[in-house]
Structures are given as structure tokens and as C-alpha cells.
Amino acid sequence: MSTLTTPHIDVHRGGDRMKTRVAWLDSKHSFSFGEHYDPDNTHHGLLLVNNEDIVLPGEGFDTHPHRDMEIVTWVLSGSLVHQDSLGHAGVIYPGLAQRMSAGTGILHSEKNDAWRISNAAEHEEPVHFVQMWVVPDEPGIEPGYQQLEIDDELAGGGLVTVASGLPRYRDRTAIAIASSHSALHVARMAEPSTVAEPSTEVRLPEAPYLHVFVARGEVEVEGVGTLYEGDAVRMTRSGGQRITANMPAEVLVWEMHARLGGQ
């Protein structure tokens, strides 16, 4: 558990993120990733990776290995094909939560070529997604995969638990992760002029570590100010703040009750 006692709020603007750009990929990294290394920006809590990627049609990440990481993929628009060495193959799309436990080792590919799986007409839409990595409780677990459709739950605009290892959320609809101190919540919020549902406001959980990422739109965070698309706020010993949408917005919130190294 965390030993931090002083609340702290740290805003990170989307335009300041490290970037990887090649012909088929536009990737923005909230933390050090690959050749982009900053010793002062390696993680927050148990979250090591928060990559926002746009991949052109027919392109993607060829088969590559992972170990000892809980990897959650959240698609914002378009569709992404997952294939792995355990025999899983399927299309990830908005509203479908997906988790891969790398454990002792797994190979997988991620490509924007859903037509090859679905036998549908070839599409020309880029896929836009966020991939997040959190540290598991222990290394060397059995690799695994899980996906779950939660689009209906998101329609209400509230903060929906998407992936969790926290015991407090065990009875909620969510994919399981092998990190008993972590949970990912997502809110699709409406603009303030919208009457009735969905909600225009959510309240953050209280936790030693929170990572709030604005995947789409623009929001106001109580005590912080305006966050724009691509912005993030890292909080320690905090929570309970209200988030209000200035326009239709999608917000990803990691709630964490420990950090890398246990400090």
C-alpha cells in the first residue's frame, strides 16, 4: 500500500507527450515508451503505459512478445484485430473491453484489418485506441485473454468499471485483471445542454493514485481546471472531485491503491 500522505495533483498536457510517427502510425505516449525514455516519467501508481494510437487501414503491429504485464485495450473509433499465440482472434471495437495477461509470455499482433476476420467489405477507416499496461501482483502467471461488451452500461454517462482486480468491484460487470490494487473506469459524458440522460458529470473515486485521461472532448475537473483532449492529470492521495463535460467527452480513470515498488 502507499505511504504517501500529502495530496498532489499534476497536470500533463496532451501536446507535451512523447510521440512516435511513421507512415502508418501516429502514437502518443503519456509515459516513457520504447526509444522515448525520461527517467522522471516512467509510471504513475501501477500504470506504466498509456499510449494513444491511430493506425491506418491495412496496417498495424506485427506479431511481437510480451511478459508479466496486464494489457488493456480500449478502442475509441474504428476496429482493431487481435490475434495471439493462445489461439484468440477477434475484432475489438468501441464499447468492447479487452484484456490480455502476458504472464510467462505471449505473442500477439494488433492490426487495422477487420475485414480479414469478419469477411466484410474492406474498410478505409483508421482505428483510434488507447492501450494501457499495469503491473500484475506477481510475475509468472499463466497468460490469458478476456473481452466483454459494456456499451449499454456506458450509455448512461456515468463512471463505469471496465477492468478491475480490486475486491470492492468484484460484483460489478468488468473484465478481470491480475492486479488486486487497480481498476479502470470509463465515462462517456454528454455536453451540458443535453437534457436527461446521459450524465454530464461524474465524481472521481478516492485512492492513493489516480490517472485521469481525456480520450475525447473537453472537461472541467474540480480543483484542477479545464482538461482538453489528450490531457491527463495524475493525482496522489486524492479523489472525490467532480468532472463535468464541456462537450461530449470520454474519460479514462485508473484507480490504484499501490505503486511500482510498493512505495
Side-chain angles (χ1 to χ4, degrees), residues 178-219:
S179 177
S180 60
H181 299 292
S182 306
L184 170 65
H185 312 283
V186 176
R188 286 181 183 164
M189 306 168 67
E191 57 186 320
S193 60
T194 302
V195 179
E197 298 293 344
S199 173
T200 65
E201 181 181 289
V202 298
R203 187 176 290 274
L204 291 173
E206 294 188 5
Y209 302 93
L210 291 172
H211 185 269
V212 181
F213 177 69
V214 182
R216 289 193 293 197
E218 178 186 309
V219 300

Side-chain angles (χ1 to χ4, degrees), residues 24-25 53-64 66 73 75 77-84 88-93 98 100 107-118 122-129 131 145:
W24 56 271
L25 171 68
D53 293 342
I54 297 176
V55 175
L56 294 181
E59 303 287 353
F61 301 95
D62 291 327
T63 301
H64 57 282
H66 289 287
T73 301
V75 173
S77 63
S79 55
L80 185 71
V81 171
H82 167 93
Q83 294 179 303
D84 64 44
H88 301 109
V91 180
I92 313 168
Y93 49 85
Q98 186 247 39
M100 185 180 73
L107 300 170
H108 80 138
S109 64
E110 296 166 305
K111 295 194 173 183
N112 183 7
D113 56 359
W115 61 276
R116 297 187 184 181
I117 299 295
S118 65
E122 184 173 354
H123 63 275
E124 298 181 354
E125 180 184 6
V127 58
H128 183 192
F129 64 98
Q131 189 168 92
Y145 177 93

Side-chain angles (χ1 to χ4, degrees), residues 96-256:
L96 182 76
Q98 186 247 39
R99 176 269 298 163
M100 185 180 73
S101 296
T104 54
I106 193 170
L107 300 170
H108 80 138
S109 64
E110 296 166 305
K111 295 194 173 183
N112 183 7
D113 56 359
W115 61 276
R116 297 187 184 181
I117 299 295
S118 65
N119 295 319
E122 184 173 354
H123 63 275
E124 298 181 354
E125 180 184 6
V127 58
H128 183 192
F129 64 98
V130 181
Q131 189 168 92
M132 299 152 282
W133 301 6
V134 292
V135 180
D137 290 339
E138 57 186 35
I141 66 172
E142 183 178 350
Y145 177 93
Q146 186 182 4
Q147 65 182 44
L148 185 67
E149 171 67 65
I150 57 172
D151 205 52
D152 289 345
E153 288 82 355
L154 290 165
L159 205 60
V160 176
T161 305
V162 168
S164 177
L166 285 169
R168 71 180 67 183
Y169 300 126
R170 192 165 290 152
D171 59 342
R172 298 193 186 183
T173 301
I175 52 175
I177 55 176
S179 177
S180 60
H181 299 292
S182 306
L184 170 65
H185 312 283
V186 176
R188 286 181 183 164
M189 306 168 67
E191 57 186 320
S193 60
T194 302
V195 179
E197 298 293 344
S199 173
T200 65
E201 181 181 289
V202 298
R203 187 176 290 274
L204 291 173
E206 294 188 5
Y209 302 93
L210 291 172
H211 185 269
V212 181
F213 177 69
V214 182
R216 289 193 293 197
E218 178 186 309
V219 300
E220 297 290 331
V221 180
E222 184 179 15
V224 177
T226 305
L227 294 182
Y228 304 94
E229 190 164 296
D231 288 351
V233 58
R234 305 174 191 179
M235 302 181 177
T236 57
R237 304 302 299 180
S238 188
Q241 295 93 338
R242 291 188 301 271
I243 299 180
T244 305
N246 292 336
M247 61 178 64
E250 193 156 346
V251 179
L252 282 59
V253 179
W254 277 98
E255 172 188 353
M256 296 166 287

